[in-house]
Amino acid sequence: AAFAVARAAAARATVPARAAAPPPTVPIVVLKDGRSGSTVFAKLLKMVAPKSVELEVITKHKGANMTTAAKVRAVAALARLAKTTPRPPLAAVTLCPSLHDGSCQADIAAVLREALRRIDGARVVVFSRSNLFRVALASHGTHRRKPACGPGEVLETRYPLQHFSCELPHVVAYRANLYAVAKEVGAPFREILFEDLINDPAGTMSRLGAWLGVGADATRRLADAANATVGPKR
């Protein structure tokens, strides 16, 4: 009997341990502004999931001409992105909920609710920049005149104070729309500020990975990617 017990124990010891299954892919909708540094953030996501991140599926310009059904399809592409091979830890689309004149796309909250209803476990990230003056500086020039600006208000790509009378209200409205839409949709969301990403790249992405639940390996890779590519000295 003792021999049989020892033999069974030896057999169990030779069976290779089964590797833990990776966590399921986390679908993410990134609500963002133009000129806020969101492209840097999206590139970090792509470094972890190269085939599973699509940028600007809805923009201020495209949103004015897309039907509601087309917008739902654009966001629901998350389901396809989550099925790429090898299985990614995350899949993401980025979009802007505003229109060029500063107003919010009237159907965007309904679009997001319907798209997220079709995608299990989706999360929302709101990416913005706290320094709205810098956003305005990056946005305004002769080729970016807003419809509400008078013909003589923007004549060059330098930024004298009077240019902010046209640009800054749009930038403030864009940012307000981000948070209003995120709250109206009702899905869990997390704020990421460009300034936090620059000042504490690894910490910001580590906290995001933990909140998303993408697993320890993907969280570490997000932090490493941020440390290597962004920060105050890069």
Side-chain angles (χ1 to χ4, degrees):
F3 176 76
V5 171
R7 185 176 180 181
R12 286 195 299 271
T14 59
V15 175
R18 182 176 298 177
T25 301
V26 178
I28 310 165
V29 176
V30 180
L31 303 181
K32 42 81 73 175
D33 284 335
R35 307 291 172 171
S36 64
S38 61
T39 302
V40 174
F41 176 67
K43 285 181 178 178
L44 296 178
L45 300 182
K46 286 178 75 74
M47 291 174 76
V48 174
K51 300 178 182 178
S52 302
V53 179
E54 288 191 3
L55 277 60
E56 300 191 341
V57 297
I58 303 173
T59 66
K60 295 190 290 287
H61 302 283
K62 284 193 263 186
N65 300 306
M66 293 173 73
T67 65
T68 298
K71 293 177 185 179
V72 171
R73 288 194 297 272
V75 181
L78 267 174
R80 169 179 55 80
L81 295 171
K83 294 178 182 177
T84 56
T85 304
R87 189 173 76 181
L90 59 88
V93 295
T94 74
L95 63 94
C96 181
S98 299
L99 293 174
H100 196 247
D101 64 0
S103 62
C104 191
Q105 297 181 40
D107 60 351
I108 197 67
V111 163
L112 292 171
R113 280 195 297 267
E114 174 58 24
L116 296 179
R117 185 186 66 80
R118 304 179 186 185
I119 306 167
D120 291 336
R123 298 294 190 98
V124 176
V125 171
V126 176
F127 190 94
S128 65
R129 188 170 188 165
S130 62
N131 191 328
L132 300 186
F133 283 93
R134 285 191 175 272
V135 176
L137 285 172
S139 300
H140 215 177
T142 55
H143 63 298
R144 294 187 177 277
R145 184 180 290 116
K146 297 291 185 288
C149 295
E153 289 187 55
V154 185
L155 302 177
E156 55 194 13
T157 55
R158 283 178 276 170
Y159 301 97
L161 183 60
Q162 61 266 29
H163 286 187
F164 286 100
S165 66
C166 177
E167 183 62 30
L168 196 56
H170 293 87
V171 171
V172 171
Y174 297 155
R175 184 150 191 249
N177 292 340
L178 288 178
Y179 292 93
V181 169
K183 291 174 182 176
E184 187 175 351
V185 169
F189 78 90
R190 186 176 182 88
E191 175 191 46
I192 300 291
L193 291 177
F194 176 76
E195 288 81 0
D196 290 341
L197 184 59
I198 294 300
N199 293 325
D200 182 15
T204 298
M205 296 308 289
S206 291
R207 290 187 289 273
L208 175 65
W211 179 77
L212 291 171
V214 294
D217 180 64
T219 297
R220 177 187 53 78
R221 289 161 59 199
L222 284 169
D224 289 348
N227 244 357
T229 57
V230 300
K233 296 182 180 179
R234 293 181 170 84

